Amino acid sequence: MNPVIVIPTFVSARRRKEGGSVLTTYDHATPISAPGELPRLLHSLQKVRGLGQIVVLVVSEPSIENQAAEKVQTQVSQYPSLNVAVVGAPELGLIQQRMEQLGLGKLSKEIGLSGYGAIRNLGLVVANTLGFDSVVFLDDDEVVDDADFLQKAMYGLGKLTKKGIPILAKTGFYYNSEGTFFSKSQDRWYNHFWQQGKAFNKMMAKAMRGPRLSRSNHVCGGCLALHKEAFKRLSFDPWIARGEDLDYMLDLRMYGSDIWLDNQWSLRHLPPETESEGTRFRQDIFRWLYEFRKMEYSRTQIDLLQVKPSSLEPYPGPFLEPGITRRIRLTAFLRSLARPDKKAYRKAAKAATGEATTYAQRNCSKYFEFQFVWPELMARMENDQILRTALLKSAAQRQAGVDAPRQAAAAGAASAGIDPGVTSEIRLNIAE
């Protein structure tokens, strides 16, 4: 197979406890003045055998999008043995322009550099345009220790099981800083109604005892391999606040496919400390309430398979059952009494019956509407030579030291026959 590694990296103008909206608040964004974790990951990838193309997606506030891309390009240039293309806002502008030329629209909410789901969709569009038959997603706060990492990523992908079921999506697992794949979540009194870590550990223990590849209820988004027959058919959900990886597993099931866990494929996940655990829990509230409503809505659609919480035991089934709102409120209240981030937890408790519930009700159907568009979009953009030429030219110009990413995109557009003036306009529209 011919895989591409896709790595989203997040850059912020400054260190801050909260980001923007619930969709644009990320687990960790590196200040523009700090090196962050990406160089550590790139360094570790140098040992991986058979490594080909790497695409780094640069996510930042519009006010620093050029500086962020330049910073990442400088970091990437320190590893000349790696074949890395940096994709930022200018390249996104090229993609949106080409989609409009093809009559597909901008789809800026669904495919872009804002929101976990949209960012992953951008990676899939780039992979599809450049002609890769598989995508391996990594996160920038990881370390790869195994020289056979990519070979293990491809193990079984695109093959059939003994029962004739195609393996089109697979996940590995993480070791944490303590050298274990079990969750460090503690069984404290304030987590009585929210035993997420305990349920996850039970699921992982079962998977590790089983065969190398087993049908999985969980996905590690930073250790995820997708065959083109999966990603050309299904996108990620741009409307979920976080947990877009596990959500993708649910989407696969609803559309008749599945994801498999490879218990011999792993890496180390070493994230920086979260500044505000209460803010993260607020995103989890949006996530689980949205997921619950989305699953409820899916049962009204005759063309989707029914996915029941009982089929997702021990995890994430309990978090998709009726009563989730009450459990969220109780957990947020108890944590507000015991955890340091008291104010953020109180704010999170209010969100459960307010804005998070409203958000879920308003948006739970939108992913399924987008799915009518996605396969056609991917079919029309697969190996698109005009866009391919523009993207490669833009990446090469930046790598060669072009003054700014915007100029690089303009050069790429000109070489491919795309009006650079329109591309610049698209970029400016993003900034607004």
Side-chain angles (χ1 to χ4, degrees), residues 289-326:
L289 289 181
Y290 173 80
E291 199 76 85
F292 175 76
R293 293 300 174 193
K294 179 179 172 181
M295 299 243 334
E296 289 287 302
Y297 179 84
S298 72
R299 296 188 185 107
T300 69
Q301 307 302 297
I302 60 173
D303 59 333
L304 299 177
L305 297 181
Q306 300 294 303
V307 181
K308 298 181 179 180
S310 59
S311 70
L312 299 166
E313 295 289 346
Y315 179 83
F319 299 90
L320 297 169
E321 296 175 344
I324 186 66
T325 301
R326 176 177 177 272

mmCIF file of all heavy atoms in Angstrom, residues 289-326:
data_model
loop_
_atom_site.group_PDB
_atom_site.id
_atom_site.type_symbol
_atom_site.label_atom_id
_atom_site.label_comp_id
_atom_site.label_asym_id
_atom_site.label_seq_id
_atom_site.Cartn_x
_atom_site.Cartn_y
_atom_site.Cartn_z
ATOM 1 N N LEU A 289 -23.502 14.706 24.857
ATOM 2 C CA LEU A 289 -24.896 15.049 24.588
ATOM 3 C C LEU A 289 -25.159 15.082 23.087
ATOM 4 O O LEU A 289 -26.211 14.637 22.615
ATOM 5 C CB LEU A 289 -25.249 16.391 25.222
ATOM 6 C CG LEU A 289 -25.343 16.409 26.752
ATOM 7 C CD1 LEU A 289 -25.713 17.795 27.257
ATOM 8 C CD2 LEU A 289 -26.362 15.386 27.251
ATOM 9 N N TYR A 290 -24.195 15.603 22.341
ATOM 10 C CA TYR A 290 -24.331 15.595 20.883
ATOM 11 C C TYR A 290 -24.350 14.169 20.358
ATOM 12 O O TYR A 290 -25.181 13.807 19.503
ATOM 13 C CB TYR A 290 -23.175 16.377 20.252
ATOM 14 C CG TYR A 290 -23.139 16.290 18.750
ATOM 15 C CD1 TYR A 290 -23.969 17.087 17.964
ATOM 16 C CD2 TYR A 290 -22.274 15.396 18.115
ATOM 17 C CE1 TYR A 290 -23.940 16.994 16.579
ATOM 18 C CE2 TYR A 290 -22.241 15.296 16.735
ATOM 19 C CZ TYR A 290 -23.070 16.098 15.967
ATOM 20 O OH TYR A 290 -23.042 15.994 14.598
ATOM 21 N N GLU A 291 -23.440 13.339 20.855
ATOM 22 C CA GLU A 291 -23.370 11.949 20.403
ATOM 23 C C GLU A 291 -24.668 11.216 20.697
ATOM 24 O O GLU A 291 -25.173 10.440 19.863
ATOM 25 C CB GLU A 291 -22.201 11.239 21.084
ATOM 26 C CG GLU A 291 -21.735 9.966 20.400
ATOM 27 C CD GLU A 291 -20.925 10.253 19.144
ATOM 28 O OE1 GLU A 291 -19.715 10.476 19.253
ATOM 29 O OE2 GLU A 291 -21.538 10.243 18.052
ATOM 30 N N PHE A 292 -25.212 11.442 21.893
ATOM 31 C CA PHE A 292 -26.473 10.789 22.274
ATOM 32 C C PHE A 292 -27.588 11.194 21.318
ATOM 33 O O PHE A 292 -28.334 10.346 20.818
ATOM 34 C CB PHE A 292 -26.825 11.154 23.721
ATOM 35 C CG PHE A 292 -28.158 10.621 24.166
ATOM 36 C CD1 PHE A 292 -28.316 9.286 24.486
ATOM 37 C CD2 PHE A 292 -29.259 11.466 24.246
ATOM 38 C CE1 PHE A 292 -29.548 8.792 24.896
ATOM 39 C CE2 PHE A 292 -30.497 10.979 24.651
ATOM 40 C CZ PHE A 292 -30.644 9.637 24.971
ATOM 41 N N ARG A 293 -27.715 12.505 21.053
ATOM 42 C CA ARG A 293 -28.771 12.991 20.158
ATOM 43 C C ARG A 293 -28.555 12.495 18.731
ATOM 44 O O ARG A 293 -29.501 12.175 18.012
ATOM 45 C CB ARG A 293 -28.821 14.521 20.179
ATOM 46 C CG ARG A 293 -29.270 15.113 21.504
ATOM 47 C CD ARG A 293 -30.661 14.663 21.877
ATOM 48 N NE ARG A 293 -31.026 15.131 23.227
ATOM 49 C CZ ARG A 293 -32.081 14.684 23.901
ATOM 50 N NH1 ARG A 293 -32.854 13.754 23.361
ATOM 51 N NH2 ARG A 293 -32.341 15.148 25.104
ATOM 52 N N LYS A 294 -27.312 12.451 18.307
ATOM 53 C CA LYS A 294 -26.997 11.975 16.960
ATOM 54 C C LYS A 294 -27.396 10.508 16.801
ATOM 55 O O LYS A 294 -27.967 10.114 15.776
ATOM 56 C CB LYS A 294 -25.504 12.157 16.696
ATOM 57 C CG LYS A 294 -25.034 11.676 15.333
ATOM 58 C CD LYS A 294 -23.540 11.924 15.174
ATOM 59 C CE LYS A 294 -22.990 11.299 13.921
ATOM 60 N NZ LYS A 294 -21.529 11.512 13.779
ATOM 61 N N MET A 295 -27.111 9.696 17.807
ATOM 62 C CA MET A 295 -27.491 8.283 17.748
ATOM 63 C C MET A 295 -29.007 8.129 17.752
ATOM 64 O O MET A 295 -29.559 7.292 17.038
ATOM 65 C CB MET A 295 -26.874 7.535 18.923
ATOM 66 C CG MET A 295 -25.375 7.585 18.907
ATOM 67 S SD MET A 295 -24.484 6.070 18.744
ATOM 68 C CE MET A 295 -25.402 4.757 19.342
ATOM 69 N N GLU A 296 -29.686 8.954 18.547
ATOM 70 C CA GLU A 296 -31.150 8.923 18.578
ATOM 71 C C GLU A 296 -31.706 9.286 17.196
ATOM 72 O O GLU A 296 -32.625 8.638 16.697
ATOM 73 C CB GLU A 296 -31.675 9.895 19.632
ATOM 74 C CG GLU A 296 -31.426 9.452 21.074
ATOM 75 C CD GLU A 296 -32.334 8.308 21.472
ATOM 76 O OE1 GLU A 296 -33.561 8.471 21.406
ATOM 77 O OE2 GLU A 296 -31.801 7.230 21.833
ATOM 78 N N TYR A 297 -31.139 10.326 16.593
ATOM 79 C CA TYR A 297 -31.605 10.762 15.280
ATOM 80 C C TYR A 297 -31.352 9.687 14.233
ATOM 81 O O TYR A 297 -32.191 9.450 13.354
ATOM 82 C CB TYR A 297 -30.901 12.062 14.873
ATOM 83 C CG TYR A 297 -31.326 12.563 13.515
ATOM 84 C CD1 TYR A 297 -32.474 13.341 13.367
ATOM 85 C CD2 TYR A 297 -30.597 12.233 12.376
ATOM 86 C CE1 TYR A 297 -32.877 13.778 12.106
ATOM 87 C CE2 TYR A 297 -30.990 12.662 11.117
ATOM 88 C CZ TYR A 297 -32.130 13.443 10.991
ATOM 89 O OH TYR A 297 -32.540 13.878 9.754
ATOM 90 N N SER A 298 -30.202 9.011 14.316
ATOM 91 C CA SER A 298 -29.861 8.003 13.314
ATOM 92 C C SER A 298 -30.882 6.884 13.257
ATOM 93 O O SER A 298 -31.080 6.261 12.208
ATOM 94 C CB SER A 298 -28.467 7.426 13.598
ATOM 95 O OG SER A 298 -28.476 6.575 14.734
ATOM 96 N N ARG A 299 -31.544 6.631 14.369
ATOM 97 C CA ARG A 299 -32.540 5.554 14.409
ATOM 98 C C ARG A 299 -33.805 5.899 13.635
ATOM 99 O O ARG A 299 -34.637 5.031 13.401
ATOM 100 C CB ARG A 299 -32.870 5.204 15.859
ATOM 101 C CG ARG A 299 -31.670 4.646 16.618
ATOM 102 C CD ARG A 299 -32.027 4.124 17.997
ATOM 103 N NE ARG A 299 -30.824 3.715 18.702
ATOM 104 C CZ ARG A 299 -30.278 4.381 19.716
ATOM 105 N NH1 ARG A 299 -30.855 5.485 20.165
ATOM 106 N NH2 ARG A 299 -29.167 3.951 20.294
ATOM 107 N N THR A 300 -33.946 7.165 13.239
ATOM 108 C CA THR A 300 -35.101 7.568 12.436
ATOM 109 C C THR A 300 -34.809 7.448 10.942
ATOM 110 O O THR A 300 -35.705 7.691 10.121
ATOM 111 C CB THR A 300 -35.502 9.023 12.746
ATOM 112 O OG1 THR A 300 -34.483 9.920 12.262
ATOM 113 C CG2 THR A 300 -35.688 9.234 14.233
ATOM 114 N N GLN A 301 -33.570 7.076 10.595
ATOM 115 C CA GLN A 301 -33.165 7.009 9.195
ATOM 116 C C GLN A 301 -33.158 5.558 8.720
ATOM 117 O O GLN A 301 -32.449 4.720 9.272
ATOM 118 C CB GLN A 301 -31.777 7.627 9.021
ATOM 119 C CG GLN A 301 -31.645 9.041 9.586
ATOM 120 C CD GLN A 301 -32.637 10.002 8.961
ATOM 121 O OE1 GLN A 301 -32.594 10.256 7.747
ATOM 122 N NE2 GLN A 301 -33.537 10.543 9.760
ATOM 123 N N ILE A 302 -33.941 5.275 7.686
ATOM 124 C CA ILE A 302 -34.117 3.883 7.253
ATOM 125 C C ILE A 302 -32.876 3.326 6.562
ATOM 126 O O ILE A 302 -32.741 2.104 6.427
ATOM 127 C CB ILE A 302 -35.337 3.755 6.312
ATOM 128 C CG1 ILE A 302 -35.141 4.641 5.069
ATOM 129 C CG2 ILE A 302 -36.618 4.117 7.047
ATOM 130 C CD1 ILE A 302 -36.226 4.446 4.021
ATOM 131 N N ASP A 303 -31.966 4.205 6.111
ATOM 132 C CA ASP A 303 -30.791 3.719 5.382
ATOM 133 C C ASP A 303 -29.590 3.482 6.281
ATOM 134 O O ASP A 303 -28.504 3.155 5.792
ATOM 135 C CB ASP A 303 -30.415 4.706 4.274
ATOM 136 C CG ASP A 303 -30.115 6.099 4.804
ATOM 137 O OD1 ASP A 303 -30.658 6.453 5.872
ATOM 138 O OD2 ASP A 303 -29.370 6.837 4.139
ATOM 139 N N LEU A 304 -29.744 3.624 7.604
ATOM 140 C CA LEU A 304 -28.641 3.434 8.537
ATOM 141 C C LEU A 304 -28.878 2.210 9.411
ATOM 142 O O LEU A 304 -30.018 1.903 9.768
ATOM 143 C CB LEU A 304 -28.482 4.667 9.433
ATOM 144 C CG LEU A 304 -28.174 5.997 8.737
ATOM 145 C CD1 LEU A 304 -28.113 7.123 9.763
ATOM 146 C CD2 LEU A 304 -26.868 5.921 7.950
ATOM 147 N N LEU A 305 -27.796 1.518 9.768
ATOM 148 C CA LEU A 305 -27.900 0.408 10.701
ATOM 149 C C LEU A 305 -28.087 0.928 12.115
ATOM 150 O O LEU A 305 -27.554 1.980 12.481
ATOM 151 C CB LEU A 305 -26.643 -0.462 10.633
ATOM 152 C CG LEU A 305 -26.367 -1.168 9.301
ATOM 153 C CD1 LEU A 305 -25.097 -2.002 9.409
ATOM 154 C CD2 LEU A 305 -27.545 -2.032 8.876
ATOM 155 N N GLN A 306 -28.823 0.211 12.919
ATOM 156 C CA GLN A 306 -29.064 0.607 14.294
ATOM 157 C C GLN A 306 -27.870 0.235 15.174
ATOM 158 O O GLN A 306 -27.421 -0.913 15.165
ATOM 159 C CB GLN A 306 -30.320 -0.090 14.829
ATOM 160 C CG GLN A 306 -31.575 0.233 14.045
ATOM 161 C CD GLN A 306 -31.967 1.700 14.180
ATOM 162 O OE1 GLN A 306 -32.178 2.207 15.268
ATOM 163 N NE2 GLN A 306 -32.055 2.380 13.040
ATOM 164 N N VAL A 307 -27.345 1.210 15.890
ATOM 165 C CA VAL A 307 -26.249 0.979 16.831
ATOM 166 C C VAL A 307 -26.782 1.275 18.227
ATOM 167 O O VAL A 307 -27.136 2.407 18.541
ATOM 168 C CB VAL A 307 -25.031 1.871 16.523
ATOM 169 C CG1 VAL A 307 -23.905 1.585 17.520
ATOM 170 C CG2 VAL A 307 -24.547 1.646 15.105
ATOM 171 N N LYS A 308 -26.828 0.250 19.066
ATOM 172 C CA LYS A 308 -27.394 0.399 20.409
ATOM 173 C C LYS A 308 -26.282 0.458 21.453
ATOM 174 O O LYS A 308 -25.248 -0.192 21.298
ATOM 175 C CB LYS A 308 -28.337 -0.762 20.709
ATOM 176 C CG LYS A 308 -29.535 -0.835 19.767
ATOM 177 C CD LYS A 308 -30.440 -1.997 20.130
ATOM 178 C CE LYS A 308 -31.639 -2.056 19.195
ATOM 179 N NZ LYS A 308 -32.551 -3.191 19.516
ATOM 180 N N PRO A 309 -26.485 1.234 22.527
ATOM 181 C CA PRO A 309 -25.482 1.300 23.594
ATOM 182 C C PRO A 309 -25.087 -0.069 24.133
ATOM 183 O O PRO A 309 -23.934 -0.289 24.498
ATOM 184 C CB PRO A 309 -26.171 2.155 24.665
ATOM 185 C CG PRO A 309 -27.132 3.006 23.908
ATOM 186 C CD PRO A 309 -27.621 2.138 22.783
ATOM 187 N N SER A 310 -26.027 -0.998 24.155
ATOM 188 C CA SER A 310 -25.733 -2.338 24.687
ATOM 189 C C SER A 310 -24.681 -3.067 23.854
ATOM 190 O O SER A 310 -24.011 -3.976 24.352
ATOM 191 C CB SER A 310 -27.024 -3.166 24.748
ATOM 192 O OG SER A 310 -27.602 -3.282 23.453
ATOM 193 N N SER A 311 -24.522 -2.676 22.589
ATOM 194 C CA SER A 311 -23.511 -3.298 21.735
ATOM 195 C C SER A 311 -22.145 -2.661 21.919
ATOM 196 O O SER A 311 -21.173 -3.084 21.294
ATOM 197 C CB SER A 311 -23.925 -3.194 20.264
ATOM 198 O OG SER A 311 -23.846 -1.846 19.811
ATOM 199 N N LEU A 312 -22.073 -1.645 22.773
ATOM 200 C CA LEU A 312 -20.837 -0.881 22.975
ATOM 201 C C LEU A 312 -20.327 -0.998 24.406
ATOM 202 O O LEU A 312 -19.677 -0.101 24.919
ATOM 203 C CB LEU A 312 -21.076 0.592 22.618
ATOM 204 C CG LEU A 312 -21.502 0.859 21.163
ATOM 205 C CD1 LEU A 312 -22.024 2.273 21.017
ATOM 206 C CD2 LEU A 312 -20.341 0.614 20.205
ATOM 207 N N GLU A 313 -20.646 -2.101 25.037
ATOM 208 C CA GLU A 313 -20.154 -2.346 26.393
ATOM 209 C C GLU A 313 -18.736 -2.917 26.352
ATOM 210 O O GLU A 313 -18.386 -3.642 25.416
ATOM 211 C CB GLU A 313 -21.086 -3.333 27.117
ATOM 212 C CG GLU A 313 -22.485 -2.812 27.361
ATOM 213 C CD GLU A 313 -22.547 -1.717 28.413
ATOM 214 O OE1 GLU A 313 -21.552 -1.540 29.144
ATOM 215 O OE2 GLU A 313 -23.574 -1.025 28.486
ATOM 216 N N PRO A 314 -17.875 -2.619 27.332
ATOM 217 C CA PRO A 314 -18.147 -1.786 28.501
ATOM 218 C C PRO A 314 -17.940 -0.283 28.258
ATOM 219 O O PRO A 314 -18.216 0.530 29.114
ATOM 220 C CB PRO A 314 -17.126 -2.304 29.524
ATOM 221 C CG PRO A 314 -15.960 -2.713 28.659
ATOM 222 C CD PRO A 314 -16.563 -3.279 27.400
ATOM 223 N N TYR A 315 -17.418 0.041 27.059
ATOM 224 C CA TYR A 315 -17.171 1.441 26.722
ATOM 225 C C TYR A 315 -17.280 1.578 25.213
ATOM 226 O O TYR A 315 -16.806 0.702 24.485
ATOM 227 C CB TYR A 315 -15.756 1.853 27.180
ATOM 228 C CG TYR A 315 -15.379 3.279 26.871
ATOM 229 C CD1 TYR A 315 -15.767 4.316 27.710
ATOM 230 C CD2 TYR A 315 -14.651 3.599 25.721
ATOM 231 C CE1 TYR A 315 -15.431 5.629 27.418
ATOM 232 C CE2 TYR A 315 -14.320 4.907 25.426
ATOM 233 C CZ TYR A 315 -14.713 5.921 26.272
ATOM 234 O OH TYR A 315 -14.388 7.220 25.976
ATOM 235 N N PRO A 316 -17.975 2.627 24.736
ATOM 236 C CA PRO A 316 -18.550 3.803 25.417
ATOM 237 C C PRO A 316 -20.037 3.695 25.700
ATOM 238 O O PRO A 316 -20.691 4.715 25.938
ATOM 239 C CB PRO A 316 -18.282 4.905 24.392
ATOM 240 C CG PRO A 316 -18.486 4.216 23.071
ATOM 241 C CD PRO A 316 -17.962 2.815 23.259
ATOM 242 N N GLY A 317 -20.596 2.479 25.658
ATOM 243 C CA GLY A 317 -22.025 2.287 25.824
ATOM 244 C C GLY A 317 -22.681 3.064 26.948
ATOM 245 O O GLY A 317 -23.702 3.742 26.745
ATOM 246 N N PRO A 318 -22.122 3.020 28.174
ATOM 247 C CA PRO A 318 -22.773 3.716 29.295
ATOM 248 C C PRO A 318 -22.908 5.229 29.111
ATOM 249 O O PRO A 318 -23.717 5.868 29.789
ATOM 250 C CB PRO A 318 -21.840 3.396 30.477
ATOM 251 C CG PRO A 318 -21.175 2.125 30.093
ATOM 252 C CD PRO A 318 -20.976 2.211 28.616
ATOM 253 N N PHE A 319 -22.131 5.803 28.199
ATOM 254 C CA PHE A 319 -22.168 7.248 27.996
ATOM 255 C C PHE A 319 -23.080 7.635 26.844
ATOM 256 O O PHE A 319 -23.132 8.799 26.442
ATOM 257 C CB PHE A 319 -20.750 7.768 27.767
ATOM 258 C CG PHE A 319 -19.843 7.507 28.921
ATOM 259 C CD1 PHE A 319 -19.113 6.328 28.992
ATOM 260 C CD2 PHE A 319 -19.754 8.401 29.977
ATOM 261 C CE1 PHE A 319 -18.302 6.060 30.088
ATOM 262 C CE2 PHE A 319 -18.949 8.143 31.064
ATOM 263 C CZ PHE A 319 -18.231 6.964 31.124
ATOM 264 N N LEU A 320 -23.814 6.647 26.321
ATOM 265 C CA LEU A 320 -24.740 6.901 25.224
ATOM 266 C C LEU A 320 -26.163 6.479 25.579
ATOM 267 O O LEU A 320 -27.010 6.330 24.704
ATOM 268 C CB LEU A 320 -24.272 6.148 23.968
ATOM 269 C CG LEU A 320 -22.906 6.589 23.421
ATOM 270 C CD1 LEU A 320 -22.420 5.616 22.351
ATOM 271 C CD2 LEU A 320 -22.987 7.999 22.853
ATOM 272 N N GLU A 321 -26.409 6.294 26.860
ATOM 273 C CA GLU A 321 -27.713 5.851 27.326
ATOM 274 C C GLU A 321 -28.543 7.019 27.865
ATOM 275 O O GLU A 321 -27.987 8.052 28.257
ATOM 276 C CB GLU A 321 -27.538 4.804 28.430
ATOM 277 C CG GLU A 321 -26.870 3.522 27.958
ATOM 278 C CD GLU A 321 -26.597 2.558 29.101
ATOM 279 O OE1 GLU A 321 -26.640 3.023 30.271
ATOM 280 O OE2 GLU A 321 -26.340 1.381 28.836
ATOM 281 N N PRO A 322 -29.872 6.870 27.902
ATOM 282 C CA PRO A 322 -30.708 7.895 28.524
ATOM 283 C C PRO A 322 -30.274 8.125 29.971
ATOM 284 O O PRO A 322 -29.817 7.206 30.651
ATOM 285 C CB PRO A 322 -32.110 7.274 28.462
ATOM 286 C CG PRO A 322 -32.050 6.316 27.307
ATOM 287 C CD PRO A 322 -30.661 5.764 27.318
ATOM 288 N N GLY A 323 -30.386 9.345 30.416
ATOM 289 C CA GLY A 323 -29.930 9.690 31.755
ATOM 290 C C GLY A 323 -28.555 10.325 31.763
ATOM 291 O O GLY A 323 -28.039 10.696 32.826
ATOM 292 N N ILE A 324 -27.947 10.475 30.586
ATOM 293 C CA ILE A 324 -26.597 11.028 30.513
ATOM 294 C C ILE A 324 -26.555 12.475 31.012
ATOM 295 O O ILE A 324 -25.586 12.895 31.646
ATOM 296 C CB ILE A 324 -26.048 10.928 29.067
ATOM 297 C CG1 ILE A 324 -24.585 11.370 28.999
ATOM 298 C CG2 ILE A 324 -26.899 11.709 28.090
ATOM 299 C CD1 ILE A 324 -23.635 10.499 29.731
ATOM 300 N N THR A 325 -27.625 13.237 30.778
ATOM 301 C CA THR A 325 -27.639 14.639 31.223
ATOM 302 C C THR A 325 -27.579 14.727 32.744
ATOM 303 O O THR A 325 -26.818 15.536 33.303
ATOM 304 C CB THR A 325 -28.903 15.349 30.712
ATOM 305 O OG1 THR A 325 -28.933 15.291 29.278
ATOM 306 C CG2 THR A 325 -28.916 16.809 31.153
ATOM 307 N N ARG A 326 -28.334 13.884 33.417
ATOM 308 C CA ARG A 326 -28.320 13.897 34.888
ATOM 309 C C ARG A 326 -26.945 13.511 35.415
ATOM 310 O O ARG A 326 -26.427 14.142 36.344
ATOM 311 C CB ARG A 326 -29.374 12.925 35.410
ATOM 312 C CG ARG A 326 -29.380 12.790 36.943
ATOM 313 C CD ARG A 326 -30.510 11.866 37.401
ATOM 314 N NE ARG A 326 -30.461 11.685 38.848
ATOM 315 C CZ ARG A 326 -29.742 10.744 39.449
ATOM 316 N NH1 ARG A 326 -29.007 9.899 38.717
ATOM 317 N NH2 ARG A 326 -29.759 10.633 40.764
#
